[in-house]
Amino acid sequence: MSDFNDFNNPQVAALPRHLKQFIVDQHYEHYTPVDHAVWRYVMRQNYSYLKDVAYYPYIPGLQKAGLTIEKIPDLQDMNNALAKIGWGAVTVDGFIPPAAFMEYQAYRVLVIAADIRQLKHIEYTPAPDIIHESAGHAPIIADKDYHQYLSYFGSIGAKAMFSAQDFELYEAIRALSILKEMPDADEAAIKKADELVTWHQNNMGEPSEMAMLSRLHWWTVEYGLIGTLQDPKIYGAGLLSSIGESASCMSNEVKKLPYTIDAVNYSYDITKTQPQLFVTPTFQNLIDVLEEFADTMAFRRGGAYGLQKAIDCKNTCTVLYSSGLQVSGTFTAFTADENGNPVFIKTTGQSALAFDNKELKGHGKDYHKDGFSSPVGRLKGCDKPLENFTADDLKTAGIETGKEASLTFENGIKVSGKVTEISSKNSRIFLIKFENCIVLDEVGQVLFDPSWGVYDMAVGETLTSVFCGAADKDAFLEIAYKSNTGTHHPEYDQRTKELHKLYQQVRNRRHTGGDLGFLGNVWLMLQKFHYDDWLCALEILELLEHEGAEPALAAEIRQFLIQKAANQPEYKKLINDGLYLIKHPVEERLVV
């Protein structure tokens, strides 16, 4: 990505290649005057309500993230502000795979959907949008304890094992959220997509590590409450960016439970409001629960447990030998001894070897294109692991470069051939290369035949970690998994473009001042051609009432809005909340 824009932000600049591929241009010029009005309405409502129920001071948080109430944020402004607290931000196209999302967090980069919700979804959108990501996630980033939790969560989530079912569910959710945001979406298509999501949710099998972690993420980062069960405050971005649910969640109908590891047992549905929420006393408790869960994960447990998770994953995973060698590939089999400890591992298809997450020269997936296999364990009769052998130990064991060697492991596996290379790092041997090599198991079955070529034997007594993905992702992957389903980008007809112009005229007057007389004409055009609109009418009324101008026109617009709220229940709360804010305005100093 030679034209990659890092916004002069160190966190964004440090992103690896496999994450950069998800980034799209923000295209700020594509936001319409209606989009800016939607942003402004939601942000003013948020401030009016959240100043009392949000955990952190909402406006200072917005300012530290480079946001204002008045306009959709520009990525450059956000990056300038976030850089001061060691974070960055990029725009992406809707939902991205959970593993990638987690990894961005580990790099301390906020992932922000470039699109903004339609006016008809102003209270809540099932699709990620710039209101949710920036107004929800960004303002709390300035809290040191919280952003440490967020980045730590990302580093653990990036290692989580996922299942084939996770990807199928991700695709189904992405497709549904895109459909629901389309202006002319076919109801039958939405119903079908909804049913597909439900089917996947009901047929996940045993939840994967990623599925369980996604639940912890949902109940904290997205829908978390902090404080006491009796008087909790909101910190979750999903609540902070939903002007509907941020109010309804505080009612007694929504159960409040203490946040513990038990939250992993509660699945969620992104298209519905939450039946219960979890309250943490502190952000440190979030880290404690995450640690408790991480201790159950394959990347910490390693061994046969981790290997089985890797096989179930059916995707690229990495095992870490106790010597430091990392083997990446699709694991298909392993052999264990009577105690359940792995004694032989096998990948199928393209594999690679790495050390410290850097691919070893000459050991990429083109070289190991047909898979990789190797013993695990100690040599028979040795009082220390092979990786800790000194030069004298090697000589005593008959392992010398250029000479024939025959190694027998405690588990009975035999490796015989001519040693051509012994690789070590940090005084530990991690790889021995053989020519004309045969590998036999304890009953004499051939595990590697000399005709298959050179044999690279991994060295290590145990497998200390198993995690999802390649050790060196940039070297292993030309391109990571990316959805084929693109988000919807609207084409506006002439009538809609005329409506945009009316919104822009009102916006211009609010920013520049001057005569208010032309607003009567804007109102006439709304009445004649855009009778369904309520937000532009609300903005005109706001200007007139705040400046005490055109009382007859103001009374006419107010009556129209009151009537609309009475006749169309779907607008009742939105209009009434807007009228409330005209009487109780957000302080001007907070909006610029």
Side-chain angles (χ1 to χ4, degrees), residues 319-327 345 353-357 360 372 374-378 385-389 409 422-432 457-465:
V319 302
L320 172 66
Y321 274 80
S322 49
S323 62
L325 180 71
Q326 294 165 312
V327 180
I345 63 165
L353 306 183
F355 202 99
D356 286 338
N357 299 323
L360 295 172
F372 181 85
S374 188
V376 185
R378 280 194 187 201
L386 177 54
E387 65 241 54
N388 294 336
F389 275 27
F409 286 80
I422 300 171
S423 302
S424 64
K425 203 164 190 174
N426 306 331
S427 303
R428 290 164 107 185
I429 299 162
F430 63 84
L431 195 67
I432 300 177
M457 187 188 84
V459 175
E461 183 181 21
T462 58
L463 302 178
T464 57
S465 179

mmCIF file of all heavy atoms in Angstrom, residues 319-327 345 353-357 360 372 374-378 385-389 409 422-432 457-465:
data_model
loop_
_atom_site.group_PDB
_atom_site.id
_atom_site.type_symbol
_atom_site.label_atom_id
_atom_site.label_comp_id
_atom_site.label_asym_id
_atom_site.label_seq_id
_atom_site.Cartn_x
_atom_site.Cartn_y
_atom_site.Cartn_z
ATOM 1 N N VAL A 319 2.052 -23.272 16.588
ATOM 2 C CA VAL A 319 2.491 -23.875 17.852
ATOM 3 C C VAL A 319 3.875 -23.339 18.177
ATOM 4 O O VAL A 319 4.696 -23.122 17.285
ATOM 5 C CB VAL A 319 2.512 -25.428 17.819
ATOM 6 C CG1 VAL A 319 1.154 -25.984 17.490
ATOM 7 C CG2 VAL A 319 3.552 -25.953 16.881
ATOM 8 N N LEU A 320 4.090 -23.111 19.456
ATOM 9 C CA LEU A 320 5.381 -22.616 19.934
ATOM 10 C C LEU A 320 6.070 -23.727 20.714
ATOM 11 O O LEU A 320 5.544 -24.203 21.729
ATOM 12 C CB LEU A 320 5.170 -21.393 20.835
ATOM 13 C CG LEU A 320 6.395 -20.847 21.575
ATOM 14 C CD1 LEU A 320 7.425 -20.274 20.599
ATOM 15 C CD2 LEU A 320 5.974 -19.779 22.586
ATOM 16 N N TYR A 321 7.228 -24.169 20.216
ATOM 17 C CA TYR A 321 8.049 -25.150 20.942
ATOM 18 C C TYR A 321 8.761 -24.449 22.097
ATOM 19 O O TYR A 321 9.025 -23.246 22.052
ATOM 20 C CB TYR A 321 9.096 -25.749 19.999
ATOM 21 C CG TYR A 321 8.638 -26.933 19.178
ATOM 22 C CD1 TYR A 321 7.884 -26.759 18.027
ATOM 23 C CD2 TYR A 321 8.980 -28.235 19.535
ATOM 24 C CE1 TYR A 321 7.477 -27.843 17.252
ATOM 25 C CE2 TYR A 321 8.587 -29.336 18.770
ATOM 26 C CZ TYR A 321 7.840 -29.124 17.634
ATOM 27 O OH TYR A 321 7.448 -30.207 16.875
ATOM 28 N N SER A 322 9.104 -25.211 23.106
ATOM 29 C CA SER A 322 9.812 -24.649 24.265
ATOM 30 C C SER A 322 11.174 -24.076 23.879
ATOM 31 O O SER A 322 11.760 -23.285 24.620
ATOM 32 C CB SER A 322 9.965 -25.706 25.373
ATOM 33 O OG SER A 322 10.470 -26.923 24.834
ATOM 34 N N SER A 323 11.685 -24.429 22.710
ATOM 35 C CA SER A 323 12.957 -23.874 22.230
ATOM 36 C C SER A 323 12.795 -22.462 21.674
ATOM 37 O O SER A 323 13.782 -21.747 21.458
ATOM 38 C CB SER A 323 13.516 -24.759 21.114
ATOM 39 O OG SER A 323 12.618 -24.770 20.007
ATOM 40 N N GLY A 324 11.552 -22.067 21.401
ATOM 41 C CA GLY A 324 11.288 -20.766 20.783
ATOM 42 C C GLY A 324 10.872 -20.877 19.328
ATOM 43 O O GLY A 324 10.412 -19.905 18.733
ATOM 44 N N LEU A 325 11.003 -22.051 18.727
ATOM 45 C CA LEU A 325 10.602 -22.246 17.336
ATOM 46 C C LEU A 325 9.080 -22.195 17.216
ATOM 47 O O LEU A 325 8.361 -22.772 18.034
ATOM 48 C CB LEU A 325 11.098 -23.592 16.806
ATOM 49 C CG LEU A 325 10.727 -23.893 15.342
ATOM 50 C CD1 LEU A 325 11.529 -23.012 14.391
ATOM 51 C CD2 LEU A 325 10.946 -25.366 15.008
ATOM 52 N N GLN A 326 8.616 -21.503 16.175
ATOM 53 C CA GLN A 326 7.178 -21.425 15.911
ATOM 54 C C GLN A 326 6.874 -22.132 14.585
ATOM 55 O O GLN A 326 7.535 -21.881 13.576
ATOM 56 C CB GLN A 326 6.735 -19.962 15.817
ATOM 57 C CG GLN A 326 6.862 -19.209 17.144
ATOM 58 C CD GLN A 326 6.775 -17.703 16.956
ATOM 59 O OE1 GLN A 326 7.441 -17.141 16.095
ATOM 60 N NE2 GLN A 326 5.948 -17.051 17.764
ATOM 61 N N VAL A 327 5.886 -23.013 14.602
ATOM 62 C CA VAL A 327 5.450 -23.719 13.403
ATOM 63 C C VAL A 327 4.035 -23.250 13.079
ATOM 64 O O VAL A 327 3.129 -23.385 13.899
ATOM 65 C CB VAL A 327 5.454 -25.250 13.610
ATOM 66 C CG1 VAL A 327 4.986 -25.962 12.337
ATOM 67 C CG2 VAL A 327 6.834 -25.743 14.019
ATOM 68 N N ILE A 345 3.753 -33.904 15.816
ATOM 69 C CA ILE A 345 2.744 -33.004 15.246
ATOM 70 C C ILE A 345 2.826 -33.023 13.725
ATOM 71 O O ILE A 345 3.878 -33.326 13.147
ATOM 72 C CB ILE A 345 2.923 -31.556 15.755
ATOM 73 C CG1 ILE A 345 4.279 -30.973 15.314
ATOM 74 C CG2 ILE A 345 2.751 -31.480 17.254
ATOM 75 C CD1 ILE A 345 4.372 -29.471 15.472
ATOM 76 N N LEU A 353 8.053 -21.748 9.265
ATOM 77 C CA LEU A 353 8.743 -21.741 10.560
ATOM 78 C C LEU A 353 9.182 -20.326 10.876
ATOM 79 O O LEU A 353 9.592 -19.569 9.983
ATOM 80 C CB LEU A 353 9.961 -22.673 10.518
ATOM 81 C CG LEU A 353 9.722 -24.126 10.071
ATOM 82 C CD1 LEU A 353 11.013 -24.929 10.155
ATOM 83 C CD2 LEU A 353 8.638 -24.785 10.921
ATOM 84 N N ALA A 354 9.089 -19.971 12.154
ATOM 85 C CA ALA A 354 9.442 -18.613 12.563
ATOM 86 C C ALA A 354 10.080 -18.639 13.944
ATOM 87 O O ALA A 354 10.016 -19.652 14.662
ATOM 88 C CB ALA A 354 8.190 -17.730 12.572
ATOM 89 N N PHE A 355 10.687 -17.522 14.294
ATOM 90 C CA PHE A 355 11.251 -17.333 15.634
ATOM 91 C C PHE A 355 10.964 -15.888 16.010
ATOM 92 O O PHE A 355 11.213 -14.974 15.231
ATOM 93 C CB PHE A 355 12.762 -17.606 15.637
ATOM 94 C CG PHE A 355 13.314 -17.952 16.983
ATOM 95 C CD1 PHE A 355 13.542 -19.274 17.346
ATOM 96 C CD2 PHE A 355 13.596 -16.954 17.922
ATOM 97 C CE1 PHE A 355 14.044 -19.599 18.604
ATOM 98 C CE2 PHE A 355 14.088 -17.258 19.182
ATOM 99 C CZ PHE A 355 14.324 -18.589 19.520
ATOM 100 N N ASP A 356 10.437 -15.673 17.226
ATOM 101 C CA ASP A 356 10.046 -14.320 17.657
ATOM 102 C C ASP A 356 9.145 -13.640 16.635
ATOM 103 O O ASP A 356 9.293 -12.442 16.335
ATOM 104 C CB ASP A 356 11.282 -13.445 17.920
ATOM 105 C CG ASP A 356 11.989 -13.803 19.207
ATOM 106 O OD1 ASP A 356 11.336 -14.406 20.090
ATOM 107 O OD2 ASP A 356 13.191 -13.499 19.333
ATOM 108 N N ASN A 357 8.226 -14.402 16.087
ATOM 109 C CA ASN A 357 7.238 -13.886 15.126
ATOM 110 C C ASN A 357 7.843 -13.375 13.820
ATOM 111 O O ASN A 357 7.195 -12.635 13.075
ATOM 112 C CB ASN A 357 6.373 -12.774 15.759
ATOM 113 C CG ASN A 357 5.594 -13.276 16.952
ATOM 114 O OD1 ASN A 357 5.118 -14.411 16.961
ATOM 115 N ND2 ASN A 357 5.480 -12.454 17.973
ATOM 116 N N LEU A 360 11.641 -17.591 9.487
ATOM 117 C CA LEU A 360 13.041 -17.969 9.268
ATOM 118 C C LEU A 360 13.332 -17.996 7.777
ATOM 119 O O LEU A 360 12.539 -18.504 6.980
ATOM 120 C CB LEU A 360 13.306 -19.356 9.870
ATOM 121 C CG LEU A 360 13.182 -19.466 11.391
ATOM 122 C CD1 LEU A 360 13.288 -20.934 11.814
ATOM 123 C CD2 LEU A 360 14.251 -18.631 12.095
ATOM 124 N N PHE A 372 4.310 -29.928 7.294
ATOM 125 C CA PHE A 372 5.463 -30.032 8.182
ATOM 126 C C PHE A 372 5.111 -31.023 9.276
ATOM 127 O O PHE A 372 3.977 -31.085 9.745
ATOM 128 C CB PHE A 372 5.783 -28.664 8.785
ATOM 129 C CG PHE A 372 6.985 -28.664 9.695
ATOM 130 C CD1 PHE A 372 8.271 -28.515 9.179
ATOM 131 C CD2 PHE A 372 6.842 -28.835 11.069
ATOM 132 C CE1 PHE A 372 9.377 -28.523 10.017
ATOM 133 C CE2 PHE A 372 7.953 -28.845 11.907
ATOM 134 C CZ PHE A 372 9.220 -28.687 11.365
ATOM 135 N N SER A 374 6.989 -33.123 12.889
ATOM 136 C CA SER A 374 8.176 -33.222 13.740
ATOM 137 C C SER A 374 7.840 -33.842 15.090
ATOM 138 O O SER A 374 6.705 -33.733 15.570
ATOM 139 C CB SER A 374 8.768 -31.829 13.977
ATOM 140 O OG SER A 374 10.019 -31.938 14.647
ATOM 141 N N PRO A 375 8.846 -34.500 15.707
ATOM 142 C CA PRO A 375 8.652 -35.010 17.072
ATOM 143 C C PRO A 375 8.625 -33.858 18.082
ATOM 144 O O PRO A 375 9.048 -32.743 17.799
ATOM 145 C CB PRO A 375 9.875 -35.897 17.319
ATOM 146 C CG PRO A 375 10.624 -35.958 16.029
ATOM 147 C CD PRO A 375 10.181 -34.816 15.197
ATOM 148 N N VAL A 376 8.143 -34.168 19.264
ATOM 149 C CA VAL A 376 8.186 -33.266 20.420
ATOM 150 C C VAL A 376 8.676 -34.115 21.584
ATOM 151 O O VAL A 376 8.247 -35.256 21.740
ATOM 152 C CB VAL A 376 6.774 -32.738 20.779
ATOM 153 C CG1 VAL A 376 6.845 -31.710 21.896
ATOM 154 C CG2 VAL A 376 6.070 -32.161 19.559
ATOM 155 N N GLY A 377 9.582 -33.576 22.410
ATOM 156 C CA GLY A 377 9.986 -34.327 23.612
ATOM 157 C C GLY A 377 11.491 -34.439 23.782
ATOM 158 O O GLY A 377 12.272 -33.826 23.056
ATOM 159 N N ARG A 378 11.892 -35.279 24.757
ATOM 160 C CA ARG A 378 13.304 -35.477 25.083
ATOM 161 C C ARG A 378 13.867 -36.685 24.365
ATOM 162 O O ARG A 378 13.135 -37.624 24.039
ATOM 163 C CB ARG A 378 13.477 -35.730 26.587
ATOM 164 C CG ARG A 378 13.444 -34.496 27.425
ATOM 165 C CD ARG A 378 13.966 -34.797 28.819
ATOM 166 N NE ARG A 378 13.775 -33.638 29.672
ATOM 167 C CZ ARG A 378 14.454 -33.421 30.790
ATOM 168 N NH1 ARG A 378 15.327 -34.324 31.201
ATOM 169 N NH2 ARG A 378 14.238 -32.351 31.506
ATOM 170 N N PRO A 385 16.693 -31.402 28.130
ATOM 171 C CA PRO A 385 16.094 -31.307 26.793
ATOM 172 C C PRO A 385 17.148 -31.028 25.725
ATOM 173 O O PRO A 385 18.169 -30.373 26.000
ATOM 174 C CB PRO A 385 15.129 -30.120 26.911
ATOM 175 C CG PRO A 385 14.934 -29.888 28.366
ATOM 176 C CD PRO A 385 16.194 -30.345 29.032
ATOM 177 N N LEU A 386 16.892 -31.502 24.523
ATOM 178 C CA LEU A 386 17.805 -31.318 23.403
ATOM 179 C C LEU A 386 18.073 -29.837 23.128
ATOM 180 O O LEU A 386 19.190 -29.459 22.747
ATOM 181 C CB LEU A 386 17.224 -31.997 22.151
ATOM 182 C CG LEU A 386 17.977 -31.881 20.824
ATOM 183 C CD1 LEU A 386 19.431 -32.344 20.955
ATOM 184 C CD2 LEU A 386 17.273 -32.691 19.739
ATOM 185 N N GLU A 387 17.058 -28.992 23.333
ATOM 186 C CA GLU A 387 17.270 -27.564 23.045
ATOM 187 C C GLU A 387 18.342 -26.944 23.941
ATOM 188 O O GLU A 387 18.943 -25.916 23.599
ATOM 189 C CB GLU A 387 15.950 -26.764 23.178
ATOM 190 C CG GLU A 387 15.355 -26.716 24.577
ATOM 191 C CD GLU A 387 13.970 -27.337 24.638
ATOM 192 O OE1 GLU A 387 13.823 -28.498 24.219
ATOM 193 O OE2 GLU A 387 13.041 -26.667 25.108
ATOM 194 N N ASN A 388 18.608 -27.575 25.113
ATOM 195 C CA ASN A 388 19.609 -27.030 26.040
ATOM 196 C C ASN A 388 20.986 -27.682 25.894
ATOM 197 O O ASN A 388 21.883 -27.423 26.702
ATOM 198 C CB ASN A 388 19.128 -27.202 27.493
ATOM 199 C CG ASN A 388 17.893 -26.369 27.775
ATOM 200 O OD1 ASN A 388 17.637 -25.376 27.102
ATOM 201 N ND2 ASN A 388 17.109 -26.774 28.774
ATOM 202 N N PHE A 389 21.160 -28.539 24.893
ATOM 203 C CA PHE A 389 22.458 -29.207 24.696
ATOM 204 C C PHE A 389 23.560 -28.200 24.384
ATOM 205 O O PHE A 389 23.361 -27.264 23.614
ATOM 206 C CB PHE A 389 22.374 -30.214 23.535
ATOM 207 C CG PHE A 389 21.861 -31.579 23.928
ATOM 208 C CD1 PHE A 389 21.010 -31.747 25.005
ATOM 209 C CD2 PHE A 389 22.244 -32.708 23.207
ATOM 210 C CE1 PHE A 389 20.540 -33.008 25.357
ATOM 211 C CE2 PHE A 389 21.781 -33.974 23.543
ATOM 212 C CZ PHE A 389 20.920 -34.122 24.624
ATOM 213 N N PHE A 409 13.775 -40.829 20.623
ATOM 214 C CA PHE A 409 13.079 -40.033 21.639
ATOM 215 C C PHE A 409 12.476 -40.934 22.708
ATOM 216 O O PHE A 409 12.267 -42.127 22.488
ATOM 217 C CB PHE A 409 11.979 -39.193 20.967
ATOM 218 C CG PHE A 409 12.508 -38.018 20.195
ATOM 219 C CD1 PHE A 409 13.027 -38.190 18.907
ATOM 220 C CD2 PHE A 409 12.510 -36.741 20.739
ATOM 221 C CE1 PHE A 409 13.526 -37.112 18.188
ATOM 222 C CE2 PHE A 409 13.006 -35.661 20.036
ATOM 223 C CZ PHE A 409 13.518 -35.839 18.758
ATOM 224 N N ILE A 422 22.605 -27.257 12.178
ATOM 225 C CA ILE A 422 22.022 -27.154 13.523
ATOM 226 C C ILE A 422 21.797 -25.671 13.800
ATOM 227 O O ILE A 422 22.751 -24.889 13.807
ATOM 228 C CB ILE A 422 22.950 -27.765 14.598
ATOM 229 C CG1 ILE A 422 23.202 -29.250 14.296
ATOM 230 C CG2 ILE A 422 22.339 -27.596 15.992
ATOM 231 C CD1 ILE A 422 24.279 -29.881 15.163
ATOM 232 N N SER A 423 20.547 -25.289 13.993
ATOM 233 C CA SER A 423 20.230 -23.868 14.203
ATOM 234 C C SER A 423 19.935 -23.598 15.670
ATOM 235 O O SER A 423 19.223 -24.364 16.318
ATOM 236 C CB SER A 423 19.005 -23.463 13.367
ATOM 237 O OG SER A 423 19.237 -23.705 11.995
ATOM 238 N N SER A 424 20.502 -22.515 16.171
ATOM 239 C CA SER A 424 20.253 -22.149 17.568
ATOM 240 C C SER A 424 20.117 -20.634 17.702
ATOM 241 O O SER A 424 20.570 -19.873 16.856
ATOM 242 C CB SER A 424 21.379 -22.646 18.474
ATOM 243 O OG SER A 424 22.587 -22.016 18.127
ATOM 244 N N LYS A 425 19.475 -20.240 18.769
ATOM 245 C CA LYS A 425 19.293 -18.819 19.065
ATOM 246 C C LYS A 425 19.165 -18.697 20.574
ATOM 247 O O LYS A 425 18.550 -19.546 21.227
ATOM 248 C CB LYS A 425 18.023 -18.306 18.377
ATOM 249 C CG LYS A 425 18.020 -16.804 18.147
ATOM 250 C CD LYS A 425 16.936 -16.430 17.131
ATOM 251 C CE LYS A 425 17.125 -14.978 16.737
ATOM 252 N NZ LYS A 425 16.219 -14.579 15.651
ATOM 253 N N ASN A 426 19.758 -17.642 21.118
ATOM 254 C CA ASN A 426 19.716 -17.439 22.577
ATOM 255 C C ASN A 426 20.211 -18.683 23.316
ATOM 256 O O ASN A 426 19.644 -19.085 24.334
ATOM 257 C CB ASN A 426 18.303 -17.100 23.046
ATOM 258 C CG ASN A 426 17.709 -15.914 22.296
ATOM 259 O OD1 ASN A 426 18.448 -15.029 21.854
ATOM 260 N ND2 ASN A 426 16.409 -15.910 22.140
ATOM 261 N N SER A 427 21.262 -19.297 22.786
ATOM 262 C CA SER A 427 21.887 -20.497 23.366
ATOM 263 C C SER A 427 20.939 -21.692 23.415
ATOM 264 O O SER A 427 21.120 -22.596 24.221
ATOM 265 C CB SER A 427 22.414 -20.215 24.791
ATOM 266 O OG SER A 427 23.315 -19.141 24.758
ATOM 267 N N ARG A 428 19.920 -21.693 22.560
ATOM 268 C CA ARG A 428 18.996 -22.832 22.517
ATOM 269 C C ARG A 428 18.887 -23.352 21.089
ATOM 270 O O ARG A 428 18.686 -22.577 20.153
ATOM 271 C CB ARG A 428 17.609 -22.418 23.001
ATOM 272 C CG ARG A 428 17.563 -22.128 24.486
ATOM 273 C CD ARG A 428 16.323 -21.369 24.843
ATOM 274 N NE ARG A 428 15.374 -22.207 25.547
ATOM 275 C CZ ARG A 428 14.167 -21.818 25.899
ATOM 276 N NH1 ARG A 428 13.748 -20.632 25.614
ATOM 277 N NH2 ARG A 428 13.369 -22.637 26.551
ATOM 278 N N ILE A 429 19.010 -24.655 20.966
ATOM 279 C CA ILE A 429 18.875 -25.287 19.652
ATOM 280 C C ILE A 429 17.387 -25.390 19.337
ATOM 281 O O ILE A 429 16.591 -25.822 20.182
ATOM 282 C CB ILE A 429 19.511 -26.696 19.661
ATOM 283 C CG1 ILE A 429 21.002 -26.600 19.979
ATOM 284 C CG2 ILE A 429 19.281 -27.409 18.333
ATOM 285 C CD1 ILE A 429 21.615 -27.905 20.420
ATOM 286 N N PHE A 430 17.003 -24.951 18.110
ATOM 287 C CA PHE A 430 15.570 -25.010 17.781
ATOM 288 C C PHE A 430 15.271 -25.785 16.495
ATOM 289 O O PHE A 430 14.119 -26.128 16.239
ATOM 290 C CB PHE A 430 14.962 -23.603 17.708
ATOM 291 C CG PHE A 430 15.536 -22.718 16.623
ATOM 292 C CD1 PHE A 430 15.070 -22.785 15.314
ATOM 293 C CD2 PHE A 430 16.533 -21.790 16.919
ATOM 294 C CE1 PHE A 430 15.573 -21.972 14.326
ATOM 295 C CE2 PHE A 430 17.057 -20.973 15.933
ATOM 296 C CZ PHE A 430 16.576 -21.062 14.623
ATOM 297 N N LEU A 431 16.311 -26.103 15.706
ATOM 298 C CA LEU A 431 16.042 -26.797 14.446
ATOM 299 C C LEU A 431 17.281 -27.591 14.018
ATOM 300 O O LEU A 431 18.405 -27.073 14.091
ATOM 301 C CB LEU A 431 15.681 -25.770 13.360
ATOM 302 C CG LEU A 431 15.021 -26.285 12.073
ATOM 303 C CD1 LEU A 431 13.633 -26.835 12.350
ATOM 304 C CD2 LEU A 431 14.926 -25.155 11.034
ATOM 305 N N ILE A 432 17.074 -28.832 13.591
ATOM 306 C CA ILE A 432 18.165 -29.644 13.038
ATOM 307 C C ILE A 432 17.721 -30.145 11.665
ATOM 308 O O ILE A 432 16.642 -30.730 11.519
ATOM 309 C CB ILE A 432 18.515 -30.842 13.955
ATOM 310 C CG1 ILE A 432 18.960 -30.342 15.339
ATOM 311 C CG2 ILE A 432 19.626 -31.689 13.324
ATOM 312 C CD1 ILE A 432 19.253 -31.450 16.347
ATOM 313 N N MET A 457 13.859 -30.967 11.412
ATOM 314 C CA MET A 457 13.290 -31.449 12.673
ATOM 315 C C MET A 457 13.228 -30.317 13.690
ATOM 316 O O MET A 457 14.250 -29.727 14.053
ATOM 317 C CB MET A 457 14.135 -32.601 13.237
ATOM 318 C CG MET A 457 13.492 -33.257 14.453
ATOM 319 S SD MET A 457 14.592 -34.466 15.251
ATOM 320 C CE MET A 457 15.571 -33.380 16.298
ATOM 321 N N ALA A 458 12.010 -30.002 14.122
ATOM 322 C CA ALA A 458 11.846 -29.008 15.182
ATOM 323 C C ALA A 458 12.409 -29.577 16.480
ATOM 324 O O ALA A 458 12.316 -30.777 16.739
ATOM 325 C CB ALA A 458 10.372 -28.676 15.359
ATOM 326 N N VAL A 459 12.995 -28.708 17.281
ATOM 327 C CA VAL A 459 13.560 -29.123 18.564
ATOM 328 C C VAL A 459 12.774 -28.448 19.685
ATOM 329 O O VAL A 459 12.552 -27.240 19.657
ATOM 330 C CB VAL A 459 15.050 -28.747 18.655
ATOM 331 C CG1 VAL A 459 15.603 -29.080 20.049
ATOM 332 C CG2 VAL A 459 15.848 -29.469 17.571
ATOM 333 N N GLY A 460 12.355 -29.233 20.661
ATOM 334 C CA GLY A 460 11.649 -28.677 21.812
ATOM 335 C C GLY A 460 11.041 -29.775 22.640
ATOM 336 O O GLY A 460 10.460 -30.719 22.108
ATOM 337 N N GLU A 461 11.165 -29.658 23.951
ATOM 338 C CA GLU A 461 10.652 -30.694 24.844
ATOM 339 C C GLU A 461 9.129 -30.648 24.940
ATOM 340 O O GLU A 461 8.473 -31.677 25.060
ATOM 341 C CB GLU A 461 11.256 -30.520 26.241
ATOM 342 C CG GLU A 461 10.830 -31.606 27.210
ATOM 343 C CD GLU A 461 11.411 -31.417 28.605
ATOM 344 O OE1 GLU A 461 11.802 -30.285 28.949
ATOM 345 O OE2 GLU A 461 11.473 -32.412 29.339
ATOM 346 N N THR A 462 8.581 -29.423 24.885
ATOM 347 C CA THR A 462 7.130 -29.273 25.031
ATOM 348 C C THR A 462 6.613 -28.237 24.040
ATOM 349 O O THR A 462 7.386 -27.471 23.451
ATOM 350 C CB THR A 462 6.753 -28.809 26.458
ATOM 351 O OG1 THR A 462 7.419 -27.561 26.719
ATOM 352 C CG2 THR A 462 7.148 -29.820 27.504
ATOM 353 N N LEU A 463 5.291 -28.210 23.898
ATOM 354 C CA LEU A 463 4.628 -27.152 23.129
ATOM 355 C C LEU A 463 3.988 -26.206 24.140
ATOM 356 O O LEU A 463 3.022 -26.563 24.815
ATOM 357 C CB LEU A 463 3.561 -27.747 22.209
ATOM 358 C CG LEU A 463 4.061 -28.791 21.198
ATOM 359 C CD1 LEU A 463 2.895 -29.342 20.386
ATOM 360 C CD2 LEU A 463 5.127 -28.199 20.278
ATOM 361 N N THR A 464 4.586 -25.030 24.283
ATOM 362 C CA THR A 464 4.185 -24.141 25.377
ATOM 363 C C THR A 464 2.978 -23.280 25.033
ATOM 364 O O THR A 464 2.295 -22.771 25.920
ATOM 365 C CB THR A 464 5.353 -23.224 25.775
ATOM 366 O OG1 THR A 464 5.769 -22.485 24.623
ATOM 367 C CG2 THR A 464 6.528 -24.033 26.301
ATOM 368 N N SER A 465 2.710 -23.112 23.737
ATOM 369 C CA SER A 465 1.603 -22.242 23.343
ATOM 370 C C SER A 465 1.070 -22.673 21.980
ATOM 371 O O SER A 465 1.829 -23.142 21.131
ATOM 372 C CB SER A 465 2.073 -20.780 23.273
ATOM 373 O OG SER A 465 1.030 -19.914 22.882
#
